[in-house]
């Protein structure tokens, strides 16, 4: 069964540095998402992406964040200048029209 | 406001006992409700969606619009059911709104 894949599984970055989290959604899916889960808290929506543009973004998704689909397979989340509070598990998800979302394994981002 | 509430952080039961994981929601329109499960160190996996009305791994969940609830039930818990369970709501914009999750611990 096809899966959403995310790399890296764990990213350690110095505060203030840029980080790019990568996702490969399932190939025939058209809707893409990023969520994050701070340790001990619930999974929170960050952004949704469809037809090569952002459909919706949350209050968390400020100017430090951006998403891109640079080619036909990858979907990336970039954090320009990381802060300590960006430390979290970041999940990518994708789905077809009307179908449930499928999640990747997540990337654990640790900001030092 | 769109909100999902899972009142129990931890539910501990013995093997063979019935399980009910509670989920209540707040949404002004007609939401779609899901249960996702996360086994230790694994990804979030879809367990159930309310519109399919099926039973997966012995679990069922019925949407009660009057009580705005979508409780997850299983008549006889198994040790392999031990996991984190998240209730989620999908509204008109497709994003998922999650509850805080309930850790189900099934004791032998």
């Amino acid at each position: 069964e096809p899966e959403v894949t995310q790399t890296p599984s764990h990213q350690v970055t110095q505060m203030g540095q840029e980080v790019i989290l990568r996702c490969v959604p399932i190939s025939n899916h058209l809707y893409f998402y990023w969520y994050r889960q701070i340790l001990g808290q619930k999974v929170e929506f960050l952004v949704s992406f469809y037809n090569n543009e952002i459909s919706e973004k949350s209050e968390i998704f400020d100017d430090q964040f951006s998403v891109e689909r640079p080619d036909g397979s990858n979907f990336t989340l970039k954090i320009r200048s990381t802060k300590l509070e960006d430390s979290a598990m970041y999940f990518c998800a994708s789905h077809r029209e009307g179908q449930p979302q499928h999640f990747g394994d997540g990337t654990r981002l640790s900001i030092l | 406001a769109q909100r999902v509430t899972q009142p129990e952080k931890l539910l501990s039961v013995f093997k063979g006992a019935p399980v009910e994981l509670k989920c209540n929601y707040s949404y002004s329109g007609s939401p779609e409700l899901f249960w996702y499960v996360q086994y230790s160190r694994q990804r979030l996996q879809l367990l159930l969606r309310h519109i399919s009305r099926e039973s997966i791994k012995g679990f069922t969940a019925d949407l009660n619009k009057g009580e705005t609830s979508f409780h997850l039930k299983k008549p006889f818990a198994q040790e392999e059911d031990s996991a984190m369970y998240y209730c989620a709501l999908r509204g008109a914009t497709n994003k998922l709104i999650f509850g805080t999750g309930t850790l189900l611990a099934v004791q032998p």
Side-chain angles (χ1 to χ4, degrees):
Chain A
E1 185 176 332
E3 292 182 339
V4 175
T5 57
Q6 290 185 244
T7 54
S9 57
H10 191 190
Q11 175 78 46
V12 182
T13 302
Q14 291 287 333
M15 186 173 60
Q17 295 296 305
E18 175 183 286
V19 66
I20 297 176
L21 309 183
R22 301 179 192 281
C23 170
V24 179
I26 295 173
S27 63
N28 61 351
H29 288 188
L30 299 177
Y31 297 83
F32 314 121
Y33 304 80
W34 284 101
Y35 295 84
R36 79 170 185 191
Q37 185 177 29
I38 295 172
L39 188 64
Q41 298 185 25
K42 64 180 176 181
V43 178
E44 302 173 288
F45 166 78
L46 289 178
V47 65
S48 58
F49 192 87
Y50 171 73
N51 201 25
N52 283 320
E53 60 183 25
I54 290 174
S55 320
E56 186 178 359
K57 56 185 180 180
S58 71
E59 293 175 355
I60 303 166
F61 195 89
D62 61 22
D63 291 344
Q64 295 299 313
F65 291 87
S66 62
V67 289
E68 201 175 39
R69 188 156 164 80
D71 53 43
S73 60
N74 289 284
F75 179 52
T76 62
L77 174 69
K78 182 193 290 185
I79 309 175
R80 260 179 278 282
S81 178
T82 50
K83 304 186 281 283
L84 292 176
E85 53 265 39
D86 294 327
S87 295
M89 195 78 171
Y90 287 81
F91 293 104
C92 176
S94 69
H95 70 97
R96 288 162 43 199
E97 180 76 48
Q99 295 301 307
Q101 294 182 23
H102 294 256
F103 284 80
D105 282 330
T107 293
R108 182 172 300 283
L109 178 63
S110 300
I111 308 300
L112 304 178
Chain B
Q2 303 172 26
R3 188 168 57 245
V4 175
T5 303
Q6 294 180 251
E8 302 138 329
K9 283 192 172 180
L10 171 66
L11 182 64
S12 183
V13 301
F14 286 103
K15 177 182 171 182
V19 170
E20 183 180 49
L21 301 172
K22 291 185 166 46
C23 172
N24 287 89
Y25 66 90
S26 173
Y27 187 73
S28 57
S30 293
E32 193 173 2
L33 275 297
F34 302 86
W35 277 98
Y36 280 84
V37 60
Q38 188 174 35
Y39 300 102
S40 180
R41 302 184 185 281
Q42 295 186 26
R43 67 183 62 203
L44 284 161
Q45 301 174 34
L46 177 68
L47 183 62
L48 288 173
R49 61 191 297 203
H50 88 267
I51 63 173
S52 61
R53 301 182 65 81
E54 57 188 341
S55 173
I56 303 292
K57 299 184 180 182
F59 285 97
T60 59
D62 289 316
L63 180 62
N64 185 324
K65 292 186 179 180
E67 296 182 358
T68 58
S69 69
F70 188 56
H71 302 327
L72 183 67
K73 299 177 184 178
K74 184 169 182 176
F76 308 104
Q78 303 298 314
E79 288 180 68
E80 55 265 31
D81 295 329
S82 295
M84 196 73 179
Y85 290 80
Y86 293 96
C87 184
L89 174 159
R90 180 162 75 180
T93 63
N94 276 327
K95 72 181 181 191
L96 288 175
I97 298 165
F98 285 88
T100 48
T102 297
L103 179 62
L104 174 64
V106 181
Q107 311 294 334

